[in-house]
């Protein structure tokens, strides 16, 4: 009885996402010096971490690429009949954000087709796996690396194989992390990369991480991002500010443990406010700590904004970011160091530790993550764009059972939700269940 209503409530999600893609495209065209030359440079580059497209080929080509990839993602969702929910917004935000540093209009396709082949093999609709397919484009640098250094055809074959493998690995990775790492697919991509990269090296190839990082764009990008976030907050408050703020207050008291689909629980108003507030907070953090607004950090901020519909809010991300900031002190690495800037943003994958166990555990999770992320990606040689998701997965696998055993006096159990059912579900979630989950922690999964 409720399904038609939910479809109507979320019907504007894809058009709104298309509008955001168009905004990125227009912003890029406004800075379109050497557009086609810049796009060619992008498409013919290896794209391993960290490759800031703003530094590599300019602001115009970087944002045009981000806009086009976003529109491609929206079009695919529309064509396969994706059920719009919070995870849809997450996927689109990651496609947009990482298209500023690593994903492009060329290297994503083999992986998407590979997952489509997996769905065909399983005799199931591609719509069931489309989210995982897009998130699996985290490994797009493998496609670019093989395509540029060996053969475009071999790059395509590697991408097809990655796409075929990523769905079953993602399902397994989701269960073992118990909803404590919001980037569970990033952990799955890291596991796949751990297999491929040694094979590359055994074949005599030499993948290596890069550091291409732009500076000097804080004012331009800051104004752009601030206007976007403020517009989202205003849009969320219209037409019932009081009702929206009450919903947002309740949202702030959820744990964020996956799956927490805020769009299905609270509706678009509180979610839009949450997106805008989190985006502004993340931007201010980068600026105050002496960081840079560029392709990678904007990608991190877009990711936080997307997950604001699926688990992140100010109360559970701030402790993790503070933990990373403290880590920069203990590690004798500046908070403005490129890796720690990204760790502070993407490390909010561990936000559920704040929501489930309390803010001190969020600080601890962020502190540990700040150290782990500097080392965890070394064997992957920049081939997994979701490197922080892989690191957060390692932290979650260790920290969750330790905290549960020592402080909750329970034996840790595996999560039993089905990842692909979550992606396809649009039925309303209960606010009471979400609130109970936040306070109780681990008794009943969402």
């Amino acid at each position: 009885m409720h399904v038609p209503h939910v479809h109507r409530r979320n019907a504007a999600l894809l058009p709104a996402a298309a509008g955001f893609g168009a905004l990125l495209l227009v912003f890029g065209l406004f800075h379109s010096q050497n557009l086609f030359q810049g796009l060619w440079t992008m498409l013919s580059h290896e794209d391993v971490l960290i490759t800031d497209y703003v530094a590599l080929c300019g602001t115009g080509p970087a944002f045009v690429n981000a806009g086009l990839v976003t529109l491609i993602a929206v079009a695919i969702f529309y064509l396969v009949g994706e059920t719009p929910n919070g995870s849809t917004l997450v996927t689109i935000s990651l496609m947009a954000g990482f298209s500023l540093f690593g994903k492009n209009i060329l290297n994503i396709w083999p992986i998407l087709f590979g997952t489509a082949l997996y769905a065909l093999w399983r005799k199931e609709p591609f719509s069931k796996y489309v989210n995982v397919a897009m998130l699996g484009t985290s490994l797009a640098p493998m496609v670019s690396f093989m395509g540029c250094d060996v053969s475009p055809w071999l790059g395509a074959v590697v991408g097809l194989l990655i796409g075929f493998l990523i769905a079953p690995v993602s399902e397994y990775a989701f269960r073992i992390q118990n909803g404590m790492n919001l980037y569970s697919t990033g952990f799955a991509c890291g596991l796949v990369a751990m297999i491929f990269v040694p094979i590359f090296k055994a074949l005599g190839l030499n993948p290596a991480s890069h550091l291409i990082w732009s500076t000097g764009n804080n004012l331009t990008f800051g104004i752009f991002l601030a206007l976007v976030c403020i517009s989202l907050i205003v849009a969320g408050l219209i037409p019932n500010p009081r009702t929206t703020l009450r919903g947002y207050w309740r949202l702030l008291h959820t744990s964020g443990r996956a799956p927490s689909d805020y769009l299905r629980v609270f509706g678009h108003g509180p979610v839009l406010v949450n997106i805008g507030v989190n985006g502004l907070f993340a931007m201010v953090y980068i600026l105050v700590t002496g960081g840079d607004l560029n392709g990678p950090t904007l990608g991190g901020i877009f990711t936080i904004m997307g997950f604001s519909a699926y688990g992140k809010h100010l109360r559970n991300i701030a402790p993790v970011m503070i933990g990373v900031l403290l880590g920069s002190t203990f590690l004798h690495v500046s908070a403005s160091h490129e890796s720690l800037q990204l760790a502070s943003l993407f490390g909010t994958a561990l936000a559920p530790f704040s929501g489930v166990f309390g803010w001190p555990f969020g600080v601890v999770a962020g502190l540990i993550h700040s150290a782990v992320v500097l080392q965890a990606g070394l064997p992957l040689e920049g081939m997994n764009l979701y490197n922080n998701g892989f690191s957060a997965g390692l932290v979650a696998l260790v920290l969750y059972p330790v905290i549960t055993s020592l402080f909750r006096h329970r034996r840790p159990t595996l999560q039993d939700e089905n990842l692909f059912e979550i992606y396809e579900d649009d039925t309303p979630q209960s606010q009471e269940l979400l609130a109970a989950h936040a306070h109780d922690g681990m008794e009943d999964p969402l």
Side-chain angles (χ1 to χ4, degrees):
M1 295 294 293
H2 295 285
V3 174
H5 170 73
V6 176
H7 274 294
R8 287 196 299 271
R9 183 183 67 176
N10 296 332
L13 193 155
L14 291 182
F20 178 66
L23 177 64
L24 295 175
L25 183 61
V26 170
F27 185 80
L29 292 173
F30 187 74
H31 299 82
S32 59
Q33 296 177 350
N34 301 318
L35 177 61
F36 294 105
Q37 181 181 346
L39 287 173
W40 174 251
T41 300
M42 178 192 304
L43 299 180
S44 57
H45 197 271
E46 290 181 354
D47 291 335
V48 297
L49 280 177
I50 303 172
T51 301
D52 181 357
Y53 284 160
V54 174
L56 179 69
C57 53
T59 298
F63 276 82
V64 166
N65 178 67
L68 290 175
V69 170
T70 304
L71 292 172
I72 288 170
V74 172
I76 292 174
F77 276 134
Y78 176 78
L79 291 173
V80 303
E82 160 73 0
T83 301
N85 56 27
S87 62
T88 308
L89 188 56
V90 166
T91 301
I92 291 172
S93 73
L94 265 68
M95 293 299 285
F98 281 88
S99 296
L100 293 170
F101 71 117
K103 298 182 184 182
N104 60 54
I105 55 176
L106 182 61
N107 64 13
I108 61 174
W109 289 107
I111 296 174
L112 296 176
F113 282 121
T115 308
L117 288 175
Y118 177 81
L120 186 64
W121 178 276
R122 297 271 300 179
K123 299 180 180 179
E124 294 177 309
F126 181 52
S127 59
K128 180 176 180 178
Y129 300 103
V130 64
N131 281 278
V132 167
M134 292 195 191
L135 295 175
T137 57
S138 162
L139 297 173
M142 287 194 188
V143 177
S144 295
F145 171 76
M146 296 300 289
C148 293
D149 284 26
V150 184
S151 163
W153 293 109
L154 189 55
V157 170
V158 168
L160 288 170
L161 185 56
I162 290 169
F164 194 87
L165 297 175
I166 198 62
V169 178
S170 294
E171 170 68 2
Y172 175 74
F174 175 74
R175 292 182 185 276
I176 65 174
Q177 293 173 92
N178 288 284
M180 303 307 291
N181 173 23
L182 295 177
Y183 305 166
S184 63
T185 305
F187 181 67
C189 290
L191 295 177
V192 173
M194 287 287 289
I195 301 299
F196 276 83
V197 172
I199 294 175
F200 292 165
K201 291 184 176 181
L203 293 174
L205 302 176
N206 188 31
S209 58
H210 292 171
L211 178 56
I212 301 175
W213 186 271
S214 65
T215 60
N217 298 300
N218 286 4
L219 180 61
T220 301
F221 292 168
I223 292 173
F224 172 78
L225 186 58
L227 290 175
V228 170
C229 291
I230 291 171
S231 298
L232 290 170
I233 294 172
V234 172
L237 292 173
I238 298 172
N240 297 307
R242 185 172 298 180
T243 301
T244 296
L245 290 175
R246 281 201 299 264
Y248 177 60
W249 178 253
R250 290 192 294 270
L251 185 154
L252 288 173
H253 290 81
T254 61
S255 70
R257 180 175 176 238
S260 294
D261 191 332
Y262 292 155
L263 190 62
R264 288 164 53 200
V265 178
F266 300 102
H268 73 275
V271 168
L272 286 174
V273 171
N274 193 42
I275 293 172
V277 169
N278 289 352
L280 289 174
F281 178 76
M283 180 183 71
V284 169
Y285 175 93
I286 290 296
L287 295 177
V288 168
T289 56
D292 305 296
L293 293 178
N294 54 24
T297 56
L298 283 181
I301 294 171
F302 285 172
T303 299
I304 288 177
M305 292 168 71
F307 272 95
S308 299
Y310 201 84
K312 293 186 183 181
H313 53 70
L314 193 58
R315 293 182 71 239
N316 66 9
I317 66 173
V320 178
M321 296 174 78
I322 291 171
V324 174
L325 185 61
L326 290 175
S328 69
T329 302
F330 291 113
L331 296 170
H332 304 290
V333 179
S334 170
S336 61
H337 186 276
E338 296 85 0
S339 294
L340 285 187
Q341 287 186 56
L342 297 183
S344 65
L345 299 172
F346 291 112
T348 53
L350 296 167
F353 279 97
S354 304
V356 172
F357 297 112
W359 68 264
F361 293 97
V363 174
V364 170
L367 179 62
I368 296 173
H369 178 75
S370 67
V372 173
V373 74
L374 295 178
Q375 306 298 324
L378 295 180
L380 308 184
E381 300 290 1
M383 291 294 177
N384 178 22
L385 293 175
Y386 303 164
N387 181 50
N388 275 267
F390 179 61
S391 171
L394 296 175
V395 174
L397 286 177
V398 174
L399 199 57
Y400 165 72
V402 170
I403 295 175
T404 302
S405 177
L406 294 181
F407 296 94
R408 293 297 177 90
H409 306 292
R410 299 175 187 166
R411 182 180 178 181
T413 58
L414 294 183
Q415 187 163 294
D416 61 359
E417 286 89 356
N418 184 295
L419 177 63
F420 304 112
E421 290 179 1
I422 292 169
Y423 285 140
E424 293 188 303
D425 195 0
D426 65 353
T427 56
Q429 284 184 306
S430 164
Q431 293 184 22
E432 289 73 20
L433 178 61
L434 212 59
H437 178 69
H439 290 96
D440 183 66
M442 293 296 153
E443 283 290 341
D444 296 308
L446 284 171

